[in-house]
Amino acid sequence: MVNDRVHTALKAADFDDFIVSLQAANAPDAGERGAAYRTELEDALQRAPELGHLGRFACGHTFCAGTIRIGRDRKAFDTWIGALQDQATLPMPTLSHRTILAPDGSSEARLVFTTRGAGGFISSGKRP
């Protein structure tokens, strides 16, 4: 189960700060892990051309967070996210997401997922 802090971070106005805190933590192998997961997500997004590209993204020691501009097609995103864990070649044992509506009517999807273990307690070192 993903903890309340992740749900709070996903809907927070300063979600970018949450991503930056992952980058700033300098966890061992985080750069390599982040590059591998970025490639995994970008490849998956190519299979859903109606969605946008992966935006801000970073990985820490055991989890990653990122954003995807999904325009106005939330249904396509829901379908994509539903298939993501089954199609991924890298582990994502626990994944949480939230869609944030922008004033112009477009949406941004925010993701946080674990990269290890069978389940998930996700926490950054920073309180959102």
Side-chain angles (χ1 to χ4, degrees), residues 31-117:
E32 290 176 25
R33 183 177 307 105
Y37 276 97
R38 176 177 278 282
T39 298
E40 180 83 41
L41 292 171
E42 287 174 342
D43 288 350
L45 283 166
Q46 286 182 359
R47 296 189 292 272
E50 63 278 9
L51 298 177
H53 65 281
L54 182 63
R56 300 168 309 279
F57 183 78
C59 289
H61 181 64
T62 59
F63 66 98
C64 300
T67 63
I68 301 168
R69 283 277 176 197
I70 60 172
R72 298 174 191 271
D73 198 349
R74 184 173 176 168
K75 191 173 189 177
F77 174 75
D78 290 341
T79 300
W80 178 82
I81 199 75
L84 177 62
Q85 285 179 294
D86 292 334
Q87 296 173 354
T89 59
L90 296 171
M92 295 179 198
T94 303
L95 184 144
S96 188
H97 63 89
R98 183 171 184 99
T99 304
I100 304 298
L101 189 61
D104 68 358
S106 67
S107 296
E108 174 182 83
R110 297 173 176 180
L111 311 171
V112 176
F113 58 88
T114 57
T115 61
R116 298 180 185 174

